[in-house]
């Protein structure tokens, strides 16, 4: 604590990102980055954009990038918002849509809590704390599946990743839309964080035209191999997009720089490359899951680019440390219900083979 901090900063417990160590070269399976590089066309576009125009501010409306996204996903430019990583969009959405009464509510009615799963992306409680959004966690089932019926209750908002992180389990789009439909009647926003949707799950984004309360949030960090560029986008009807814009323009109008705009446009126009890369990744995931099961691991069924696993005979924390000592970084969460689990990002075939060899020795 510092005497210079105000009450707001004193009260925070910030998010702790997965480590990016510099001490030696690890097989890095801890932050769900794509093991394959961005496409050659993406890299060329970024290199081309590194020119004298960098003295000029970027387009604050990101018109070109939003156009590419709108075309690719069959929506209109006015229904697309872009941000400096999807984390930024999540932060804006919490600020814009959650934690207050609706204009239609009585002024003395309580603020209803935002709902999210007890085991989920650990940034949600951090944003809730930052913006003072009352929230309530909803326990996942014992097998870590999310029961959509638990979200058919009056509340101040709903947010969850689909597929969920760090479990990798996904809901069918019909289940997602049951939540959206129930909450639409109560003017409650449902935010579906689709960071991992391109690894085999069903996206809800095409339902945005039917539901004014649905915001789907996407990132180029995972399926587009661009975690280092920081680009995310959201799809929602104009009212929600305008809400996000009002927050952004009260904060920082130029959230995406010229290189990010150029790289993101090129990546989203080069779908064939990324589809191929991610098909390969999915094959590696499924094969690795099978191999881990044969070694006695419990592997949660995953539609994401990571596996959530535990071994009945080895402590999670111990496995994490041994793997780390052997040069393989995975993610371990010291948290109730999941402290025996490891989250393993899917790497290249070669990286996964090394992981499997070490696991075989250990168990
Ligand atoms: C990785 C991740 C994000 C953040 O993505 P960025 O675009 O890199 O900020 C958001 N939500 C979930 C669930 C994630 O796993």
């Amino acid at each position: 604590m510092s005497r210079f901090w105000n009450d707001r900063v004193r009260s925070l417990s910030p998010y702790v990102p997965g480590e990016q160590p510099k001490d030696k070269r690890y097989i890095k399976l801890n932050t769900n980055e794509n093991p394959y590089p961005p496409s050659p066309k993406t890299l060329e576009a970024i290199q081309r954009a590194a020119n004298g125009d960098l003295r000029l501010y970027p387009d604050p409306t990101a018109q070109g990038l939003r156009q590419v996204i709108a075309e690719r996903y069959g929506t209109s430019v006015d229904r697309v918002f872009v941000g400096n990583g999807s984390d930024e969009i999540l932060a804006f959405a919490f600020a814009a849509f959650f934690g207050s009464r609706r204009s239609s509510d009585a002024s003395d009615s309580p603020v209803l809590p935002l709902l999210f799963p007890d085991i989920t992306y650990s940034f949600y409680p951090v944003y809730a704390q930052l913006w003072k959004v009352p929230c309530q966690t909803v326990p996942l089932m014992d097998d870590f599946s999310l029961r959509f019926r638990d979200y058919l209750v009056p509340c101040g908002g709903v947010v969850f990743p689909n597929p969920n992180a760090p479990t990798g389990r996904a809901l069918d789009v019909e289940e997602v839309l049951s939540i959206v439909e129930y909450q639409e009647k109560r003017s409650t926003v449902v935010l579906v964080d689709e960071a991992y949707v391109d690894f085999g799950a069903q996206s809800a984004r095409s339902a945005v035209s039917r539901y004014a309360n649905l915001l789907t949030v996407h990132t180029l960090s995972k399926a587009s191999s661009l975690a280092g560029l920081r680009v995310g986008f959201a799809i929602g009807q104009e009212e929600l997009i305008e809400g996000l814009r009002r927050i952004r323009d009260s904060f920082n109008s130029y959230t995406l720089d010229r290189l990010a705009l150029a790289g993101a446009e090129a990546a989203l126009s080069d779908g064939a490359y990324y589809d191929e890369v991610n098909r390969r990744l999915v094959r590696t995931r499924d094969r690795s899951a099978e191999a881990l099961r044969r070694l006695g691991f419990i592997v949660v069924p995953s539609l994401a680019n990571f596996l959530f696993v535990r071994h009945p005979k080895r402590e999670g924390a111990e496995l994490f440390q041994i793997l780390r000592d052997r040069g393989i970084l995975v993610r371990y969460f010291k948290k109730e219900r999941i402290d025996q689990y490891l989250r393993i990002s899917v790497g290249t075939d070669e990286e996964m083979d090394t992981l499997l060899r070490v696991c075989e020795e250990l168990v």
Side-chain angles (χ1 to χ4, degrees):
M1 290 287 169
S2 158
R3 66 199 161 107
F4 301 115
W5 294 355
N6 64 15
D7 291 343
R8 181 171 32 243
V9 75
R10 275 175 210 279
S11 72
L12 298 175
S13 18
Y15 177 74
V16 183
E19 52 182 335
Q20 303 283 356
K22 305 270 183 301
D23 58 330
K24 63 174 180 186
R25 206 161 172 90
Y26 287 92
I27 292 184
K28 213 174 155 298
L29 307 177
N30 69 328
T31 49
N32 297 344
E33 291 140 334
N34 201 305
Y36 301 107
S39 73
K41 284 182 189 156
T42 307
L43 297 176
E44 282 158 26
I46 296 169
Q47 278 152 9
R48 263 200 313 279
N51 62 37
D53 285 348
L54 282 174
R55 74 190 175 81
L56 302 169
Y57 280 107
D59 171 10
T61 71
Q63 185 73 14
L65 174 57
R66 285 165 55 237
Q67 201 112 38
V68 167
I69 295 168
E71 269 162 37
R72 174 159 174 167
Y73 297 111
T75 186
S76 66
V77 179
D78 297 336
R79 294 186 166 180
V80 178
F81 182 84
V82 296
N84 191 262
S86 58
D87 285 340
E88 182 183 72
I89 302 176
L90 295 172
F92 290 173
F94 274 60
F97 309 127
F98 304 140
S100 80
R101 284 173 206 88
R102 275 155 288 252
S103 44
S104 55
D105 291 343
S107 63
D108 57 351
S109 64
V111 176
L112 295 176
L114 169 70
L115 303 184
F116 52 81
D118 61 337
I119 296 164
T120 194
Y121 189 36
S122 41
F123 231 134
Y124 302 152
V126 175
Y127 295 133
Q129 189 182 51
L130 174 62
W131 304 119
K132 297 193 172 26
V133 173
C135 51
Q136 188 180 322
T137 57
V138 181
L140 296 177
M141 309 297 284
D142 286 341
D143 65 357
F144 297 138
S145 55
L146 185 157
R147 192 167 53 181
F148 77 91
R149 285 195 184 80
D150 293 343
Y151 295 81
L152 308 185
V153 291
C155 63
V158 174
V159 57
F160 58 90
N162 196 42
N164 196 10
T167 67
R169 289 198 90 121
L171 287 182
D172 289 340
V173 73
E174 291 78 23
E175 297 176 303
V176 173
L177 295 182
S178 310
I179 301 173
V180 174
E181 178 141 339
Y182 176 95
Q183 297 299 347
E184 204 268 336
K185 298 190 180 78
R186 288 156 186 82
S187 305
T188 304
V189 172
V190 177
L191 193 166
V192 186
D193 181 349
E194 296 194 335
Y196 300 104
V197 83
D198 294 329
F199 302 106
Q202 303 167 317
S203 175
R205 69 190 143 221
S206 63
V208 157
S209 58
R210 282 181 283 144
Y211 297 105
N213 66 325
L214 170 62
L215 189 74
T216 64
V217 176
H218 309 267
T219 177
L220 275 67
S221 297
K222 317 290 171 40
S224 298
S225 304
L226 286 171
L229 202 66
R230 311 305 303 130
V231 183
F233 62 93
I235 298 183
Q237 288 194 15
E238 289 79 351
E239 288 172 79
L240 295 186
I241 300 305
E242 175 66 17
L244 293 171
R245 208 156 44 222
R246 287 172 69 95
I247 298 288
R248 182 196 62 200
D249 291 339
S250 306
F251 181 79
N252 171 16
S253 295
Y254 301 104
T255 54
L256 283 192
D257 61 69
R258 285 173 169 272
L259 304 185
L261 290 170
E265 271 182 47
L268 290 169
S269 308
D270 201 5
Y273 170 90
Y274 293 97
D275 288 348
E276 171 55 32
V277 154
N278 292 324
R279 263 197 301 276
R280 193 184 321 163
L281 191 143
V282 163
R283 280 196 301 270
T284 310
R285 173 191 71 201
D286 294 344
R287 164 178 91 74
S288 306
E290 263 320 297
L292 287 164
R293 283 192 190 106
R294 278 196 300 274
L295 294 175
F297 283 88
I298 315 283
V299 183
V300 179
S302 171
L303 286 179
N305 68 340
F306 53 82
L307 295 168
F308 201 50
V309 312
R310 73 180 171 87
H311 197 280
K313 299 209 177 76
R314 300 298 297 250
E315 291 285 318
E318 185 198 3
L319 274 180
F320 167 79
Q321 193 52 50
I322 299 172
L323 287 171
R324 197 175 193 290
D325 295 341
R326 301 284 295 266
I328 302 174
L329 267 190
V330 299
R331 192 84 191 261
Y332 172 72
F333 300 94
K334 197 171 170 50
K335 178 179 156 67
E336 219 182 311
R337 289 189 77 186
I338 58 170
D339 62 358
Q340 291 307 318
Y341 281 82
L342 300 178
R343 192 196 66 191
I344 305 173
S345 309
V346 177
T348 61
D349 278 303
E350 201 187 354
E351 289 171 329
M352 297 311 274
D353 286 340
T354 306
L355 169 88
L356 290 167
R357 263 197 311 278
V358 175
C359 287
E360 190 168 1
E361 279 173 44
L362 292 178
V363 299

